[in-house]
Amino acid sequence: MFLSLRVRASQGTQAIADLRKAVPTGFRGRPTIRRDPCAADCSACRDACPTQAIRLAPVALDLGRCVFCNACAEVCPETKIEFRPEPRMGGNEPVDLTVREGEEEMVRVRASAAFSRLFGRSLKMRQVSAGGCNACELELNAVTNVNFDVQRFGIEWVASPRHADALVLTGPLTRNMKEAVRLAWDAMPEPRFVVAVGACAISGGLYDGAAGVDRGFLESVGPSLYVPGCPPHPLTFVNAILDLLGIA
Amino acid sequence: MKASMTAHQVAVDAIPRLEPGPWREDLLKQLRADMRVVTLVGRRDLDRVAITAVLQASDRSLRVSRTEVAPERGYHEMTTEHAALHCFERELHEQTGVRIAGHPWLKPIRYEGQEQSAMRSHPFYKIEGKEVHEVAVGPIHAGVIEPGSFRFMCLGEQVHHLEIHLGYQHRGVERRLLERDPRSLTPLIETIAGDTSVAHAWAYCSALEGLAGCQLDGETELARAVALELERVAMHLSGLAGMAADVGFLQGATTYGRLRTTAINTMMRLCGSRFGRGALRPGGVRMRLPPETLRDIRANLELLQADLPIINDCFLMARTVQHRLRSTGTLTTAQARELGLVGLAARASGIELDARHLMEHGAYSVVPIQPAVLPDGDCWARARIRIAEIEASLSWISTVIALYPNWEHPPLSIGELAPNQLAISLVEGFRGEVVHCIETGAHGEVVHYKVQDPSLRNWMGLALAVRGNEISDFPICNKSFDLSYCGNDL
């Protein structure tokens, strides 16, 4: 009893009071690209990118492919690209995930009246990893820990797809998980939707076109929400979900 | 053989080449004489398969030998005499198609290049009897966790055997490693097992630096070791949180979880990622250490060192925790040795094996770190090993920061790789030794990249540990080993 109280005293209050405004110090999050002229024929950033996330003239970075490795920022002779501690990013469609030269604000997840009505007060999520490296899984687990505590919004993980409204996918989708992902989806009652979390799930990321990958499921069932990162910070996930549901 | 920090390197031409029969006899002789197997890897070379064995002697030295066989002819298995080889021979057969005559159980490790239906039709072991029943779980489990399938053969509540069925996470890592420039593989390497990003990155970097003849200074090695120790602390805390949750001790689960947040946020201050991604690059490190960051890191370490003993006391004294963990999932020293277990699972079963000691890491020779070893082999021992290792890592990091407050070492450029070399690197991740083998061809191109997560060897340890336990104790046994699915499946 006494030991337990000592733990309680050392613990204090850990919950982040305002998840909408929190900024994780030091985090390599949403990048910005300054509108400065590039040197003629310079393609250093594009060449350094391990996931072909960059297009040139004007420079544009696809966060659906980006693994936030900072390689583009390091090689840019004009230091145009800068990754900032901003965790808020995400989109309703893949096209929303592009960061363009000179854009300070990127497109945020748009609230949906239908999602808000159906899931705004209670959202049950079933997570399935299909080739995920466990980093996304650890960060998704973290959204329910004492710091992020997403249950305060009526959002939580459930054990069975039969209890779930959202199928949260991580990993590039492996051929060896193809059947299992389909079974999980088929077991979910309607209305239901898919969330793609991390560069792997959104675009295949580093494993786009790899030998063991089969993305057939996502071609037939399109995600309703894209959460970029490698892995996404828990705040990225929480903010994207809250935006979609139109909460606070 | 030259020992350069964490990597050993040998010229391919200098590797003793034996005919399959004598090679096999020689290997078994060395294994009987107290050497241990580090890895056994195979590579298709035109119509032959080159098989390379790496053994380690008790004096830390590595011994490499090679044979070349026609795949349809193959060689006679060694698993029956030396069970620790089972996973390597299974993998060898799966990846190269080499015949391994008489092998008792050539079950695929990861079902590479097959349809999922092949996984479903696999013949599992059966136990006959009127009251015997089977419980199959997975591949999708009831949590935010990776997929794998477990089939328990039970008599009543008691598990007689567990067959572990993996491969669902197989995405083709090793093949992809050959498709890219070998100098810029770190982002990919960091996703082999996301919770072991730093250990895998370090193994890759040191193997590559050896091949490129790139010499690092001691401070760079220390900086890498700081990142590795932070990763070890964070994942051991995650493991303890999981174990506490699995026995319903929620105060432990939340408190260890909250302390893990402090550990990974410290990592984020250093390198921008809570998982240490981007911290290590071939030729150096990418860490930022302005004075305010260093101050915050010190404060975080002090917080961890102050608050950990409080929850440790509470966790270790709780009757419910002791009751559930003591004598649960026991793996004897003999079993652990027979299976060739590595890492925390081996040390919790009384085997002193820690790559931080076995290889002369520059960093750990400057400031030594003592491995924790316990003889009991149960879940209780695997929990206490974690606690001891966290304490050791935190005090190690504090000492290093005090002695060497500056470890910003931007990467040197990596030149051409030396031709016809084999580099083997070992790094002690939180689960155990991570092994990377890179072989170059005649023009310095990478012809083989073999990745080995400790999970490959330790999964069988879990299967044996649950025998004789109740099926309801499986989650706690599983968490106590804390093995990687993606690291195994590649």
Side-chain angles (χ1 to χ4, degrees), chain A residues 206-238:
Chain A
L206 291 156
Y207 298 97
D208 188 11
V213 169
D214 182 335
R215 294 176 57 76
F217 175 78
L218 283 178
E219 280 153 25
S220 63
V221 182
S224 304
L225 182 63
Y226 296 83
V227 184
C230 188
H233 195 281
L235 287 170
T236 308
F237 181 78
V238 171

Side-chain angles (χ1 to χ4, degrees), chain B residues 31-97:
Chain B
L31 290 169
R32 277 180 222 125
D34 214 25
M35 286 191 113
R36 71 172 193 105
V37 59
V38 173
T39 192
L40 184 73
V41 300
R43 170 172 72 85
R44 211 52 203 232
D45 190 5
L46 301 174
D47 57 343
R48 310 276 284 173
V49 174
I51 308 171
T52 309
V54 181
L55 305 185
Q56 188 166 39
S58 48
D59 69 354
R60 308 172 182 183
S61 62
L62 294 190
R63 189 173 182 282
V64 185
S65 68
R66 178 169 282 190
T67 189
E68 280 179 15
V69 296
E72 62 286 357
R73 190 172 165 81
Y75 72 93
H76 202 279
E77 59 87 25
M78 298 178 279
T79 294
T80 309
E81 181 174 333
H82 200 79
L85 294 169
H86 85 95
C87 51
F88 300 117
E89 293 199 319
R90 287 163 57 196
E91 185 182 54
L92 189 62
H93 175 68
E94 182 176 7
Q95 291 193 328
T96 65

Side-chain angles (χ1 to χ4, degrees), chain A residues 3-8 10-12 14 24-29 50-52 67-70 74 126-142 145-148 157-161 172 174-181 184 200 205-214 230-231 233-234, chain B residues 110-117 119-120 139-147 167-173 175-176 179-180 184 187-188 190-195 235 238 251 254-255 257-258 260-262 264-265 268-269 271-275 277-279 281 286 288 296 307 309-311 313-314 317 431 484 486:
Chain A
L3 286 176
S4 196
L5 287 173
R6 271 191 78 202
V7 173
R8 190 66 195 81
S10 77
Q11 174 104 336
Q14 295 292 327
T25 314
F27 178 57
R28 194 160 57 242
T51 54
Q52 296 87 47
V67 292
F68 297 80
C69 68
N70 207 40
E74 283 162 21
R126 171 64 241 212
Q127 195 271 340
V128 173
S129 167
C133 72
N134 203 25
C136 281
E137 290 76 19
L138 281 163
E139 290 299 50
L140 289 177
N141 259 319
N145 71 14
V146 290
N147 307 102
F148 302 101
W157 300 111
V158 290
S160 169
T174 57
R175 182 160 48 195
N176 288 346
M177 274 299 283
K178 192 176 181 180
E179 264 183 28
V181 170
C200 284
L206 291 156
Y207 298 97
D208 188 11
V213 169
D214 182 335
C230 188
H233 195 281
Chain B
R110 50 183 77 96
Y111 293 85
E112 290 189 49
Q114 297 192 45
E115 291 300 319
Q116 202 181 354
S117 52
M119 302 181 76
R120 205 177 340 111
I140 300 182
H141 301 289
V144 181
I145 178 178
E146 295 177 72
Y168 297 94
Q169 296 284 70
H170 174 63
R171 50 226 195 275
V173 170
R175 201 189 295 181
R176 180 121 292 200
E179 293 166 356
R180 303 279 168 90
S184 52
L188 194 64
E190 287 167 341
T191 64
I192 289 169
D195 48 26
M235 286 315 299
S238 171
Q251 192 168 32
T254 55
T255 310
R258 159 235 156 186
R260 170 179 172 264
T261 304
T262 304
I264 58 180
N265 283 351
M268 181 168 70
R269 289 304 306 269
C271 69
S273 155
R274 308 214 301 170
F275 295 82
R277 292 189 173 171
R281 286 289 180 264
R286 284 228 172 268
R288 293 165 316 213
D296 286 358
D307 283 6
I310 301 173
I311 180 61
D313 275 357
C314 188
M317 304 276 274
R431 293 187 179 94
S484 171
C486 56

Side-chain angles (χ1 to χ4, degrees), chain B residues 126-133 154-155:
Chain B
K126 288 235 177 289
I127 295 178
E128 302 276 324
K130 221 164 72 179
E131 289 171 44
V132 170
H133 65 102
C154 307
L155 190 60

